[in-house]
Amino acid sequence: MSFNSTDDRWLLPRHQTEYPARALLPEAKLHGRREATFLVLAALYFIATTALLVLGMSRVIDVSALLTRVMPGLELPSALLLPLGVMPFALSFIASALVCELFGRRRASALNWMGLLASAGLIGLMRLADLIDGGDAFGIALAFAACCIVAHACNLVVFDAFRKRAYGRQLFTRMGASALLANAIGWSVFALVLRFGAGYIVEPIAWDTILALSIGAATFTAVAMLVLAIPAVLIARGLTIALRVGQDWYGDDDDDYDDAYDHESDGAPAYSAPAYREPAYAEHNPSAPRWTHTPPTLAVGSVARRLPQAQIVDDDDDDAVPQHVADGKRRARSISVPPYTSAEMRFFSEGDESLPPLPARD
């Protein structure tokens, strides 16, 4: 039995991949492993996204000043500001990618939808808090929520597209490429919300400060994702065996290649041998192709007669009379071969005329 997370989107415990030298697990035990793993990954996802919205810019770290203090000769082209809530944000990308890799896109989509609802609930609480004490947490939280939602949606779409083509291989490359692209798009949306929402949903912020916040957060998140992707790949390999998901080790994938050559399968085109063009057609159309794709028609007449039934003859007994398989009647052995009919001779002559001329020898 083989099973891949793309086959059954809900990962039923009765479906599991067989691995060499490893016995199949009971359904209850396998179900417990899978659900416990999903709960841990979901917890990491919600902790990272919640910290991004709740902490937000309650404290901002000047990364450019810190780097200049460590390396005095370093000159950065732009200032880098890192909000405190961005620091665990990379964990959410790793958790979402692992859920999609191990459990399929449907579980990962459900996780993102629940993250969207949780973000909406937190934004509503912050708006209520602003109305009570007159703060300005709603606008910043809305910008962070827009970044989080757009980034995770892009990460899921790109990672799932890579996953379907890689067949469980190159997990680090797929995880890094999809996360870096989603990270860039998400923080671009964050900058646009702060830029064009100034005066409506958030207090006006200088454009240089917005760029410093966006570039600093995007750079830190990208580096953190690449570092965390290394242990995530190792963990994913172990979880693939523990949860009995992944590609089959016994070569069931070769059946797909066999189906491609099965002419009786649905949608497979039947083979038709190429036929020569008619001599008369060739004389009037010299530029016509020599081969056509229409299947050859069978001859009509005496050549289409039904072949005689097979005979059973005992080689050890020369005097034995052959018997037909169907009726079992005794008949005399045929001595001479019947001559060719006129229709057969005409069929052979037309076939010789339609053959292309042989190339001349040097």
Side-chain angles (χ1 to χ4, degrees):
M1 180 189 298
S2 65
F3 178 69
N4 190 284
S5 56
T6 58
D7 301 332
D8 191 334
R9 295 178 293 179
W10 283 121
L11 283 178
L12 297 179
R14 64 174 177 268
H15 295 161
Q16 52 182 299
T17 300
E18 296 181 9
Y19 285 92
R22 295 183 181 272
L24 295 179
L25 295 176
E27 294 185 6
K29 186 175 182 179
L30 183 60
H31 180 70
R33 286 187 181 182
R34 290 177 176 176
E35 295 306 317
T37 304
F38 177 75
L39 288 178
V40 172
L41 295 176
L44 291 177
Y45 177 89
F46 284 111
I47 289 173
T49 54
T50 303
L52 177 66
L53 300 180
V54 174
L55 297 179
M57 290 192 298
S58 59
R59 183 177 179 181
V60 179
I61 302 173
D62 191 350
V63 180
S64 56
L66 182 61
L67 292 177
T68 305
R69 185 181 305 175
V70 176
M71 294 176 288
L74 180 62
E75 295 183 0
L76 298 177
S78 176
L80 300 177
L81 298 177
L82 177 62
L84 182 62
V86 178
M87 299 185 69
F89 186 49
L91 284 174
S92 61
F93 289 94
I94 301 299
S96 177
L98 288 179
V99 169
C100 185
E101 179 72 13
L102 298 174
F103 298 92
R105 179 173 180 174
R106 190 170 185 177
R107 285 276 186 123
S109 299
L111 185 64
N112 286 348
W113 278 109
M114 292 305 299
L116 173 62
L117 295 179
S119 301
L122 289 175
I123 292 174
L125 290 177
M126 292 183 179
R127 179 58 178 170
L128 181 61
D130 289 345
L131 294 177
I132 294 175
D133 58 7
D136 190 24
F138 171 73
I140 301 298
L142 186 61
F144 279 121
C147 168
C148 180
I149 293 171
V150 173
H152 281 297
C154 295
N155 181 58
L156 177 59
V157 172
V158 177
F159 183 82
D160 184 67
F162 289 162
R163 171 174 165 268
K164 292 179 179 178
R165 290 165 175 78
Y167 300 102
R169 298 184 296 269
Q170 301 177 354
L171 179 58
F172 179 82
T173 304
R174 293 184 286 119
M175 189 180 297
S178 59
L180 291 177
L181 178 61
N183 180 56
I185 296 175
W187 290 111
S188 300
V189 173
F190 170 79
L192 293 177
V193 171
L194 292 181
R195 176 66 174 177
F196 295 101
Y200 299 98
I201 59 176
V202 66
E203 294 295 330
I205 302 175
W207 179 243
D208 294 338
T209 305
I210 295 176
L211 287 179
L213 289 171
S214 302
I215 297 175
T219 304
F220 179 85
T221 306
V223 174
M225 285 187 301
L226 293 179
V227 173
L228 293 175
I230 298 175
V233 171
L234 301 178
I235 294 173
R237 298 303 182 216
L239 290 177
T240 300
I241 300 176
L243 304 181
R244 299 298 192 268
V245 295
Q247 297 297 320
D248 183 23
W249 286 72
Y250 294 105
D252 288 347
D253 295 338
D254 295 337
D255 296 340
D256 299 336
Y257 297 96
D258 296 337
D259 294 340
Y261 295 96
D262 187 6
H263 304 308
E264 297 180 359
S265 59
D266 297 338
Y271 173 79
S272 59
Y276 287 105
R277 59 179 180 170
E278 297 295 335
Y281 180 78
E283 295 177 0
H284 298 287
N285 298 275
S287 61
R290 183 176 298 276
W291 297 88
T292 62
H293 295 284
T294 56
T297 57
L298 298 177
V300 295
S302 59
V303 295
R305 68 181 185 274
R306 187 175 181 179
L307 296 177
Q309 298 177 350
Q311 298 178 355
I312 300 178
V313 179
D314 189 1
D315 296 335
D316 297 334
D317 189 2
D318 297 336
D319 298 333
V321 180
Q323 296 183 359
H324 286 272
V325 176
D327 50 11
K329 297 180 180 179
R330 298 177 179 269
R331 297 183 181 180
R333 179 182 299 176
S334 179
I335 299 176
S336 61
V337 179
Y340 290 110
T341 62
S342 58
E344 290 174 340
M345 297 300 297
R346 184 169 60 255
F347 176 77
F348 294 149
S349 61
E350 290 178 357
D352 294 336
E353 293 176 358
S354 60
L355 289 175
L358 297 176
R361 298 183 179 180
D362 296 335

